[in-house]
Amino acid sequence: MNIETRSVSVSLSKKQIVRGASIKVRDKQFVGLLGPNGSGKTTLLKSIYRVLKPSAGTVLIDGEDIKELSFRDTSRRMGVVSQFNNISFDLSAQEMVLMGRAPHKKAFERDSAEDYRIAEDALKRVDMLDFRDRSFLTLSGGEKQRIILARALAQQVEMLILDEPTNHLDIKYQLQIMDVVKSLGCGVLAALHDLNLTLMYCTYVYIMKNGEVVAEGETEEVITERLIKEVYEVDCALSRNPVSGKLNVSFFSAV
């Protein structure tokens, strides 16, 4: 499955937030979407998973204009883990995960034993099985994030859209979540702040600044000390981890 945006622009309250952004995620590719706060990452993602309507440009799934697809069809193919998971109704963690089975069911069809098996497996994969009977509202931010990922896993989709998936998580669970996502073997588009996680997991990246895509390419070719200085306005040094062989970013202050 491929997802592509062609010259997508998005305006909110008459202000253009995203300007002519073109990105593509190919089948089973792990793509990072980077940029400082306010660069337009979340807004662009919302235009892809149909929360926001682009003011210009086109979003395509396997070459089809997303506007021609039903929301149900989109949900069968694309799962979403957003960074804001506030709900006002009380569901258990397991019930939240079972919501991921909805796109595969007919209206008013009850959850089957297979649905429960899939939900339980998803909870195990994010290390939240012991929380299945807990109210979602009582969970911490990090626990909620893992439940939302489990819900996306239960959808059994071909593409995952992740908006700050490691938000609120400590280091152990950051790595666990990224490992789980990587192990799925599906396409992934992830908006990330942590450059070291990006270097560890993403094979390709797009860099946004002021609503525009300003760089793209293979991760280690794009993320350079010069680009980090230009985009994030901070000084850093890149070095290679002697154990993993991956590049690491170390930040330092000029003060």
Side-chain angles (χ1 to χ4, degrees):
M1 176 179 166
N2 299 326
I3 286 182
E4 182 178 2
T5 69
R6 293 181 181 173
S7 302
V8 164
S9 296
V10 185
S11 296
L12 298 173
S13 301
K14 298 182 180 181
K15 180 180 179 181
Q16 195 170 45
I17 307 299
V18 176
R19 302 176 179 85
S22 295
I23 67 172
K24 186 170 184 177
V25 185
R26 295 174 175 83
D27 186 42
K28 300 182 180 180
Q29 189 179 28
F30 201 127
V31 175
L33 184 63
L34 309 180
N37 289 336
S39 61
K41 302 186 302 297
T42 292
T43 300
L44 178 59
L45 291 186
K46 286 182 176 180
S47 74
I48 294 172
Y49 62 82
R50 308 184 77 174
V51 169
L52 295 175
K53 184 178 180 180
S55 53
T58 307
V59 179
L60 303 170
I61 294 181
D62 287 335
E64 295 182 78
D65 191 327
I66 200 169
K67 291 183 293 186
E68 304 300 320
L69 300 173
S70 69
F71 282 92
R72 182 184 180 88
D73 188 27
T74 304
S75 297
R76 284 176 173 173
R77 300 156 75 177
M78 179 171 61
V80 177
V81 178
S82 64
Q83 59 177 303
F84 301 109
N85 300 309
N86 296 320
I87 62 171
S88 56
F89 47 92
D90 193 12
L91 293 174
S92 70
Q94 184 179 58
E95 288 170 332
M96 285 292 294
V97 176
L98 282 167
M99 289 173 65
R101 302 301 301 152
H104 302 279
K105 305 168 76 65
K106 297 177 182 178
F108 307 113
E109 182 180 353
R110 300 185 68 175
D111 294 319
S112 66
E114 178 67 3
D115 292 324
Y116 277 95
R117 185 196 65 78
I118 291 170
E120 183 172 303
D121 180 66
L123 285 164
K124 284 180 181 177
R125 299 190 74 168
V126 299
D127 200 19
M128 288 293 288
L129 185 60
D130 290 343
F131 291 73
R132 60 185 168 189
D133 295 323
R134 280 272 302 275
S135 166
F136 182 79
L137 298 178
T138 67
L139 301 179
S140 69
E143 290 164 348
K144 287 179 179 178
Q145 195 77 343
R146 286 188 279 157
I147 292 298
I148 297 302
L149 176 59
R151 184 178 66 183
L153 298 182
Q155 283 180 245
Q156 298 182 318
V157 293
E158 302 170 64
M159 184 72 65
L160 276 177
I161 308 296
L162 311 176
D163 190 1
E164 299 297 336
T166 58
N167 198 23
H168 304 301
L169 298 178
D170 61 31
I171 296 171
K172 172 186 174 180
Y173 289 115
Q174 287 181 27
L175 296 174
Q176 182 194 60
I177 291 300
M178 296 297 281
D179 283 342
V180 168
V181 171
K182 186 103 175 179
S183 73
L184 298 175
C186 66
V188 177
L189 174 60
L192 298 166
H193 272 305
D194 192 314
L195 294 178
N196 285 314
L197 284 179
T198 302
L199 286 161
M200 289 174 66
Y201 291 96
C202 299
T203 56
Y204 200 91
V205 292
Y206 291 88
I207 313 295
M208 294 189 71
K209 185 175 183 180
N210 298 325
E212 299 179 332
V213 175
V214 296
E216 67 167 284
E218 300 294 328
T219 306
E220 289 199 0
E221 294 178 4
V222 171
I223 296 180
T224 63
E225 294 171 3
R226 178 178 178 181
L227 178 131
I228 293 170
K229 178 67 173 179
E230 291 176 352
V231 172
Y232 293 94
E233 300 178 5
V234 294
D235 295 305
C236 72
L238 286 171
S239 60
R240 200 162 292 278
N241 187 301
V243 177
S244 68
K246 298 285 188 178
L247 282 180
N248 286 139
V249 183
S250 300
F251 299 98
F252 54 91
S253 173
V255 178

Short mmCIF file of all heavy atoms in Angstrom, two decimals, residues 81 93-101 113-132 143-157 160 173 176-177 180-181 183-184:
data_model
loop_
_atom_site.label_atom_id
_atom_site.label_comp_id
_atom_site.label_asym_id
_atom_site.label_seq_id
_atom_site.Cartn_x
_atom_site.Cartn_y
_atom_site.Cartn_z
N VAL A 81 -2.48 6.66 15.16
CA VAL A 81 -2.18 6.88 16.57
C VAL A 81 -1.86 8.36 16.71
O VAL A 81 -0.80 8.82 16.29
CB VAL A 81 -0.98 6.03 17.05
CG1 VAL A 81 -0.67 6.33 18.52
CG2 VAL A 81 -1.27 4.55 16.86
N ALA A 93 -10.04 -0.40 28.87
CA ALA A 93 -8.94 -0.46 27.92
C ALA A 93 -9.23 -1.47 26.81
O ALA A 93 -8.97 -1.22 25.63
CB ALA A 93 -7.64 -0.81 28.65
N GLN A 94 -9.78 -2.62 27.19
CA GLN A 94 -10.10 -3.65 26.20
C GLN A 94 -11.17 -3.17 25.22
O GLN A 94 -11.08 -3.41 24.01
CB GLN A 94 -10.57 -4.92 26.89
CG GLN A 94 -10.84 -6.07 25.93
CD GLN A 94 -11.28 -7.33 26.64
OE1 GLN A 94 -12.27 -7.32 27.36
NE2 GLN A 94 -10.53 -8.40 26.48
N GLU A 95 -12.17 -2.45 25.72
CA GLU A 95 -13.21 -1.92 24.84
C GLU A 95 -12.65 -0.90 23.87
O GLU A 95 -13.08 -0.84 22.70
CB GLU A 95 -14.34 -1.31 25.68
CG GLU A 95 -15.19 -2.33 26.42
CD GLU A 95 -16.13 -1.71 27.42
OE1 GLU A 95 -15.82 -0.62 27.97
OE2 GLU A 95 -17.20 -2.31 27.68
N MET A 96 -11.69 -0.11 24.32
CA MET A 96 -11.04 0.84 23.42
C MET A 96 -10.32 0.10 22.29
O MET A 96 -10.39 0.50 21.12
CB MET A 96 -10.04 1.70 24.20
CG MET A 96 -10.66 2.77 25.06
SD MET A 96 -11.45 4.09 24.08
CE MET A 96 -10.02 4.82 23.28
N VAL A 97 -9.65 -0.97 22.63
CA VAL A 97 -8.91 -1.74 21.62
C VAL A 97 -9.87 -2.42 20.65
O VAL A 97 -9.64 -2.46 19.44
CB VAL A 97 -7.98 -2.76 22.29
CG1 VAL A 97 -7.28 -3.63 21.24
CG2 VAL A 97 -6.94 -2.05 23.15
N LEU A 98 -10.98 -2.93 21.17
CA LEU A 98 -11.97 -3.59 20.32
C LEU A 98 -12.58 -2.63 19.29
O LEU A 98 -13.07 -3.07 18.24
CB LEU A 98 -13.08 -4.21 21.17
CG LEU A 98 -12.72 -5.53 21.86
CD1 LEU A 98 -13.75 -5.87 22.94
CD2 LEU A 98 -12.61 -6.66 20.85
N MET A 99 -12.53 -1.33 19.57
CA MET A 99 -13.02 -0.35 18.59
C MET A 99 -12.23 -0.45 17.29
O MET A 99 -12.74 -0.09 16.22
CB MET A 99 -12.93 1.06 19.17
CG MET A 99 -13.92 1.36 20.28
SD MET A 99 -13.64 2.97 21.07
CE MET A 99 -13.99 4.07 19.70
N GLY A 100 -11.01 -0.94 17.38
CA GLY A 100 -10.21 -1.11 16.17
C GLY A 100 -10.75 -2.17 15.23
O GLY A 100 -10.36 -2.23 14.05
N ARG A 101 -11.66 -3.02 15.71
CA ARG A 101 -12.25 -4.06 14.86
C ARG A 101 -13.46 -3.55 14.08
O ARG A 101 -13.95 -4.22 13.16
CB ARG A 101 -12.69 -5.25 15.73
CG ARG A 101 -11.59 -5.90 16.54
CD ARG A 101 -10.47 -6.40 15.63
NE ARG A 101 -10.97 -7.37 14.67
CZ ARG A 101 -10.41 -7.57 13.47
NH1 ARG A 101 -9.37 -6.87 13.08
NH2 ARG A 101 -10.94 -8.47 12.65
N ALA A 113 -15.40 -14.05 19.10
CA ALA A 113 -14.26 -14.60 19.83
C ALA A 113 -12.96 -14.24 19.13
O ALA A 113 -11.94 -13.97 19.79
CB ALA A 113 -14.40 -16.12 19.93
N GLU A 114 -12.99 -14.19 17.80
CA GLU A 114 -11.79 -13.80 17.06
C GLU A 114 -11.42 -12.35 17.31
O GLU A 114 -10.25 -12.01 17.45
CB GLU A 114 -12.03 -14.03 15.56
CG GLU A 114 -10.88 -13.62 14.66
CD GLU A 114 -9.63 -14.49 14.83
OE1 GLU A 114 -9.66 -15.46 15.61
OE2 GLU A 114 -8.62 -14.19 14.16
N ASP A 115 -12.43 -11.49 17.42
CA ASP A 115 -12.17 -10.08 17.73
C ASP A 115 -11.48 -9.95 19.10
O ASP A 115 -10.52 -9.19 19.25
CB ASP A 115 -13.47 -9.27 17.75
CG ASP A 115 -14.09 -9.14 16.37
OD1 ASP A 115 -13.34 -9.01 15.39
OD2 ASP A 115 -15.33 -9.16 16.29
N TYR A 116 -11.97 -10.70 20.07
CA TYR A 116 -11.38 -10.67 21.40
C TYR A 116 -9.95 -11.23 21.38
O TYR A 116 -9.07 -10.72 22.08
CB TYR A 116 -12.24 -11.44 22.40
CG TYR A 116 -13.39 -10.63 22.94
CD1 TYR A 116 -14.66 -10.71 22.37
CD2 TYR A 116 -13.22 -9.77 24.03
CE1 TYR A 116 -15.72 -9.95 22.87
CE2 TYR A 116 -14.27 -9.02 24.53
CZ TYR A 116 -15.52 -9.11 23.94
OH TYR A 116 -16.56 -8.35 24.43
N ARG A 117 -9.72 -12.25 20.57
CA ARG A 117 -8.37 -12.81 20.46
C ARG A 117 -7.40 -11.78 19.87
O ARG A 117 -6.29 -11.60 20.36
CB ARG A 117 -8.38 -14.06 19.59
CG ARG A 117 -7.02 -14.77 19.52
CD ARG A 117 -6.93 -15.74 18.38
NE ARG A 117 -7.01 -15.08 17.10
CZ ARG A 117 -5.98 -14.42 16.55
NH1 ARG A 117 -4.83 -14.31 17.19
NH2 ARG A 117 -6.12 -13.85 15.37
N ILE A 118 -7.85 -11.09 18.85
CA ILE A 118 -7.02 -10.07 18.20
C ILE A 118 -6.73 -8.91 19.16
O ILE A 118 -5.61 -8.42 19.25
CB ILE A 118 -7.70 -9.56 16.91
CG1 ILE A 118 -7.72 -10.67 15.86
CG2 ILE A 118 -7.00 -8.32 16.38
CD1 ILE A 118 -8.57 -10.36 14.65
N ALA A 119 -7.76 -8.49 19.90
CA ALA A 119 -7.59 -7.40 20.87
C ALA A 119 -6.63 -7.80 21.98
O ALA A 119 -5.76 -7.01 22.39
CB ALA A 119 -8.94 -7.00 21.46
N GLU A 120 -6.76 -9.04 22.46
CA GLU A 120 -5.87 -9.52 23.52
C GLU A 120 -4.43 -9.57 23.03
O GLU A 120 -3.50 -9.19 23.75
CB GLU A 120 -6.32 -10.89 23.99
CG GLU A 120 -5.49 -11.43 25.15
CD GLU A 120 -6.07 -12.70 25.74
OE1 GLU A 120 -7.24 -12.67 26.16
OE2 GLU A 120 -5.35 -13.72 25.77
N ASP A 121 -4.23 -10.03 21.81
CA ASP A 121 -2.89 -10.08 21.24
C ASP A 121 -2.30 -8.68 21.13
O ASP A 121 -1.11 -8.46 21.42
CB ASP A 121 -2.93 -10.75 19.87
CG ASP A 121 -1.54 -10.84 19.24
OD1 ASP A 121 -0.69 -11.57 19.78
OD2 ASP A 121 -1.31 -10.17 18.21
N ALA A 122 -3.13 -7.72 20.71
CA ALA A 122 -2.66 -6.33 20.58
C ALA A 122 -2.26 -5.77 21.94
O ALA A 122 -1.24 -5.07 22.07
CB ALA A 122 -3.74 -5.47 19.94
N LEU A 123 -3.05 -6.06 22.98
CA LEU A 123 -2.72 -5.60 24.33
C LEU A 123 -1.41 -6.22 24.82
O LEU A 123 -0.60 -5.55 25.47
CB LEU A 123 -3.86 -5.95 25.29
CG LEU A 123 -5.11 -5.08 25.19
CD1 LEU A 123 -6.30 -5.75 25.88
CD2 LEU A 123 -4.85 -3.70 25.78
N LYS A 124 -1.20 -7.49 24.51
CA LYS A 124 0.06 -8.14 24.89
C LYS A 124 1.25 -7.45 24.23
O LYS A 124 2.30 -7.25 24.85
CB LYS A 124 0.02 -9.61 24.49
CG LYS A 124 -0.82 -10.51 25.37
CD LYS A 124 -0.77 -11.95 24.87
CE LYS A 124 -1.62 -12.87 25.73
NZ LYS A 124 -1.63 -14.26 25.19
N ARG A 125 1.10 -7.10 22.98
CA ARG A 125 2.23 -6.54 22.22
C ARG A 125 2.68 -5.19 22.76
O ARG A 125 3.83 -4.80 22.59
CB ARG A 125 1.88 -6.44 20.74
CG ARG A 125 1.58 -7.80 20.10
CD ARG A 125 1.48 -7.72 18.61
NE ARG A 125 2.81 -7.57 18.00
CZ ARG A 125 3.05 -7.71 16.71
NH1 ARG A 125 2.06 -7.98 15.89
NH2 ARG A 125 4.26 -7.55 16.23
N VAL A 126 1.76 -4.45 23.39
CA VAL A 126 2.14 -3.16 23.97
C VAL A 126 2.27 -3.26 25.49
O VAL A 126 2.33 -2.24 26.18
CB VAL A 126 1.13 -2.06 23.58
CG1 VAL A 126 1.09 -1.88 22.07
CG2 VAL A 126 -0.26 -2.36 24.13
N ASP A 127 2.30 -4.48 26.02
CA ASP A 127 2.51 -4.73 27.44
C ASP A 127 1.42 -4.09 28.30
O ASP A 127 1.69 -3.50 29.35
CB ASP A 127 3.89 -4.20 27.87
CG ASP A 127 4.37 -4.82 29.18
OD1 ASP A 127 3.84 -5.89 29.55
OD2 ASP A 127 5.26 -4.24 29.82
N MET A 128 0.15 -4.23 27.85
CA MET A 128 -0.97 -3.64 28.59
C MET A 128 -2.09 -4.64 28.87
O MET A 128 -3.20 -4.24 29.24
CB MET A 128 -1.54 -2.45 27.79
CG MET A 128 -0.65 -1.23 27.77
SD MET A 128 -0.47 -0.44 29.39
CE MET A 128 -2.09 0.29 29.61
N LEU A 129 -1.81 -5.93 28.76
CA LEU A 129 -2.86 -6.93 28.96
C LEU A 129 -3.42 -6.87 30.38
O LEU A 129 -4.63 -7.03 30.59
CB LEU A 129 -2.34 -8.33 28.66
CG LEU A 129 -3.35 -9.46 28.74
CD1 LEU A 129 -4.49 -9.24 27.75
CD2 LEU A 129 -2.68 -10.81 28.48
N ASP A 130 -2.57 -6.61 31.36
CA ASP A 130 -3.02 -6.55 32.76
C ASP A 130 -3.93 -5.35 33.02
O ASP A 130 -4.55 -5.27 34.08
CB ASP A 130 -1.82 -6.50 33.71
CG ASP A 130 -1.06 -7.82 33.75
OD1 ASP A 130 -1.62 -8.85 33.31
OD2 ASP A 130 0.10 -7.82 34.20
N PHE A 131 -4.01 -4.43 32.07
CA PHE A 131 -4.82 -3.21 32.23
C PHE A 131 -6.14 -3.30 31.47
O PHE A 131 -6.87 -2.32 31.41
CB PHE A 131 -4.04 -1.98 31.73
CG PHE A 131 -2.86 -1.60 32.57
CD1 PHE A 131 -1.70 -2.34 32.55
CD2 PHE A 131 -2.91 -0.47 33.38
CE1 PHE A 131 -0.60 -1.99 33.32
CE2 PHE A 131 -1.82 -0.11 34.15
CZ PHE A 131 -0.66 -0.87 34.13
N ARG A 132 -6.46 -4.46 30.92
CA ARG A 132 -7.60 -4.54 29.99
C ARG A 132 -8.93 -4.17 30.63
O ARG A 132 -9.84 -3.67 29.94
CB ARG A 132 -7.67 -5.95 29.39
CG ARG A 132 -7.86 -7.07 30.37
CD ARG A 132 -7.80 -8.41 29.67
NE ARG A 132 -7.70 -9.52 30.64
CZ ARG A 132 -7.47 -10.77 30.28
NH1 ARG A 132 -7.31 -11.07 29.01
NH2 ARG A 132 -7.38 -11.71 31.18
N GLU A 143 0.17 5.33 29.27
CA GLU A 143 -0.65 4.12 29.18
C GLU A 143 -1.73 4.29 28.11
O GLU A 143 -2.02 3.36 27.34
CB GLU A 143 -1.25 3.82 30.54
CG GLU A 143 -0.22 3.34 31.56
CD GLU A 143 -0.73 3.40 33.00
OE1 GLU A 143 -1.79 4.02 33.25
OE2 GLU A 143 -0.06 2.85 33.88
N LYS A 144 -2.33 5.47 28.06
CA LYS A 144 -3.33 5.73 27.03
C LYS A 144 -2.70 5.62 25.64
O LYS A 144 -3.32 5.06 24.71
CB LYS A 144 -3.92 7.14 27.20
CG LYS A 144 -4.86 7.28 28.37
CD LYS A 144 -5.38 8.71 28.49
CE LYS A 144 -6.34 8.86 29.64
NZ LYS A 144 -6.82 10.27 29.80
N GLN A 145 -1.50 6.11 25.50
CA GLN A 145 -0.82 6.06 24.20
C GLN A 145 -0.62 4.61 23.75
O GLN A 145 -0.81 4.28 22.58
CB GLN A 145 0.53 6.78 24.30
CG GLN A 145 1.17 7.10 22.95
CD GLN A 145 0.52 8.29 22.27
OE1 GLN A 145 -0.57 8.71 22.62
NE2 GLN A 145 1.19 8.82 21.26
N ARG A 146 -0.28 3.75 24.69
CA ARG A 146 -0.09 2.34 24.34
C ARG A 146 -1.41 1.66 23.99
O ARG A 146 -1.45 0.80 23.09
CB ARG A 146 0.63 1.61 25.48
CG ARG A 146 2.12 1.96 25.55
CD ARG A 146 2.84 1.08 26.56
NE ARG A 146 2.67 1.56 27.92
CZ ARG A 146 2.78 0.80 29.00
NH1 ARG A 146 3.03 -0.50 28.87
NH2 ARG A 146 2.65 1.31 30.20
N ILE A 147 -2.48 2.05 24.65
CA ILE A 147 -3.80 1.49 24.32
C ILE A 147 -4.22 1.94 22.92
O ILE A 147 -4.77 1.15 22.14
CB ILE A 147 -4.85 1.90 25.36
CG1 ILE A 147 -4.56 1.21 26.71
CG2 ILE A 147 -6.26 1.57 24.88
CD1 ILE A 147 -4.63 -0.30 26.67
N ILE A 148 -3.97 3.19 22.60
CA ILE A 148 -4.34 3.68 21.26
C ILE A 148 -3.54 2.96 20.19
O ILE A 148 -4.06 2.64 19.11
CB ILE A 148 -4.13 5.21 21.18
CG1 ILE A 148 -5.06 5.93 22.17
CG2 ILE A 148 -4.38 5.72 19.76
CD1 ILE A 148 -6.54 5.64 21.96
N LEU A 149 -2.27 2.67 20.47
CA LEU A 149 -1.49 1.89 19.51
C LEU A 149 -2.08 0.48 19.39
O LEU A 149 -2.19 -0.06 18.27
CB LEU A 149 -0.03 1.80 19.93
CG LEU A 149 0.85 0.91 19.05
CD1 LEU A 149 0.84 1.38 17.60
CD2 LEU A 149 2.28 0.85 19.57
N ALA A 150 -2.48 -0.13 20.52
CA ALA A 150 -3.08 -1.45 20.48
C ALA A 150 -4.36 -1.43 19.64
O ALA A 150 -4.64 -2.38 18.89
CB ALA A 150 -3.39 -1.94 21.89
N ARG A 151 -5.13 -0.37 19.75
CA ARG A 151 -6.34 -0.25 18.93
C ARG A 151 -5.99 -0.24 17.44
O ARG A 151 -6.66 -0.89 16.62
CB ARG A 151 -7.10 1.03 19.29
CG ARG A 151 -8.43 1.19 18.56
CD ARG A 151 -9.16 2.45 18.98
NE ARG A 151 -8.45 3.66 18.59
CZ ARG A 151 -8.84 4.89 18.90
NH1 ARG A 151 -9.94 5.07 19.63
NH2 ARG A 151 -8.16 5.95 18.51
N ALA A 152 -4.93 0.49 17.08
CA ALA A 152 -4.50 0.52 15.69
C ALA A 152 -4.00 -0.85 15.24
O ALA A 152 -4.24 -1.27 14.10
CB ALA A 152 -3.40 1.57 15.51
N LEU A 153 -3.31 -1.57 16.14
CA LEU A 153 -2.84 -2.91 15.80
C LEU A 153 -4.03 -3.84 15.54
O LEU A 153 -3.99 -4.70 14.65
CB LEU A 153 -1.98 -3.48 16.93
CG LEU A 153 -0.68 -2.74 17.27
CD1 LEU A 153 0.07 -3.48 18.37
CD2 LEU A 153 0.20 -2.58 16.05
N ALA A 154 -5.10 -3.67 16.32
CA ALA A 154 -6.28 -4.52 16.16
C ALA A 154 -6.99 -4.27 14.83
O ALA A 154 -7.74 -5.13 14.37
CB ALA A 154 -7.25 -4.28 17.32
N GLN A 155 -6.74 -3.13 14.22
CA GLN A 155 -7.33 -2.86 12.90
C GLN A 155 -6.70 -3.73 11.81
O GLN A 155 -7.30 -3.91 10.76
CB GLN A 155 -7.13 -1.38 12.52
CG GLN A 155 -8.08 -0.43 13.21
CD GLN A 155 -7.83 1.01 12.78
OE1 GLN A 155 -7.43 1.84 13.60
NE2 GLN A 155 -8.07 1.31 11.53
N GLN A 156 -5.48 -4.21 12.06
CA GLN A 156 -4.76 -5.05 11.10
C GLN A 156 -4.68 -4.36 9.73
O GLN A 156 -5.09 -4.90 8.71
CB GLN A 156 -5.42 -6.42 10.99
CG GLN A 156 -5.39 -7.20 12.30
CD GLN A 156 -5.98 -8.59 12.20
OE1 GLN A 156 -7.01 -8.79 11.56
NE2 GLN A 156 -5.32 -9.57 12.80
N VAL A 157 -4.10 -3.17 9.76
CA VAL A 157 -4.04 -2.33 8.57
C VAL A 157 -2.72 -2.51 7.82
O VAL A 157 -1.77 -3.11 8.32
CB VAL A 157 -4.22 -0.85 8.95
CG1 VAL A 157 -5.62 -0.60 9.47
CG2 VAL A 157 -3.19 -0.43 10.02
N LEU A 160 0.30 2.54 8.94
CA LEU A 160 0.10 3.23 10.22
C LEU A 160 0.54 4.68 10.11
O LEU A 160 1.64 4.96 9.59
CB LEU A 160 0.89 2.54 11.33
CG LEU A 160 0.28 1.33 12.02
CD1 LEU A 160 1.26 0.76 13.03
CD2 LEU A 160 -1.04 1.68 12.70
N TYR A 173 9.50 2.22 27.16
CA TYR A 173 8.32 2.06 26.32
C TYR A 173 8.46 2.78 24.98
O TYR A 173 7.81 2.38 24.00
CB TYR A 173 7.07 2.50 27.08
CG TYR A 173 6.72 1.53 28.19
CD1 TYR A 173 6.77 1.90 29.53
CD2 TYR A 173 6.37 0.21 27.89
CE1 TYR A 173 6.45 1.00 30.53
CE2 TYR A 173 6.06 -0.70 28.89
CZ TYR A 173 6.11 -0.30 30.21
OH TYR A 173 5.81 -1.20 31.20
N GLN A 176 10.10 0.10 23.10
CA GLN A 176 9.17 -1.01 22.89
C GLN A 176 8.16 -0.68 21.80
O GLN A 176 7.90 -1.50 20.90
CB GLN A 176 8.44 -1.33 24.19
CG GLN A 176 7.49 -2.53 24.06
CD GLN A 176 6.53 -2.64 25.22
OE1 GLN A 176 5.75 -1.72 25.48
NE2 GLN A 176 6.58 -3.74 25.94
N ILE A 177 7.57 0.51 21.89
CA ILE A 177 6.57 0.91 20.89
C ILE A 177 7.18 0.94 19.50
O ILE A 177 6.60 0.43 18.53
CB ILE A 177 5.99 2.29 21.24
CG1 ILE A 177 5.12 2.21 22.50
CG2 ILE A 177 5.19 2.86 20.07
CD1 ILE A 177 3.93 1.28 22.40
N VAL A 180 7.75 -2.59 18.26
CA VAL A 180 6.50 -3.22 17.85
C VAL A 180 6.08 -2.72 16.47
O VAL A 180 5.73 -3.52 15.58
CB VAL A 180 5.38 -2.95 18.88
CG1 VAL A 180 4.01 -3.36 18.32
CG2 VAL A 180 5.65 -3.69 20.17
N VAL A 181 6.11 -1.42 16.29
CA VAL A 181 5.71 -0.84 15.00
C VAL A 181 6.60 -1.36 13.88
O VAL A 181 6.12 -1.76 12.81
CB VAL A 181 5.75 0.70 15.07
CG1 VAL A 181 5.55 1.31 13.69
CG2 VAL A 181 4.67 1.21 16.03
N SER A 183 8.23 -4.12 13.76
CA SER A 183 8.05 -5.55 13.55
C SER A 183 6.82 -5.88 12.72
O SER A 183 6.69 -7.00 12.21
CB SER A 183 7.96 -6.28 14.90
OG SER A 183 6.72 -6.02 15.54
N LEU A 184 5.90 -4.95 12.58
CA LEU A 184 4.65 -5.21 11.87
C LEU A 184 4.88 -5.44 10.38
O LEU A 184 4.09 -6.12 9.73
CB LEU A 184 3.67 -4.06 12.07
CG LEU A 184 3.21 -3.79 13.51
CD1 LEU A 184 2.33 -2.55 13.56
CD2 LEU A 184 2.47 -4.99 14.06
#
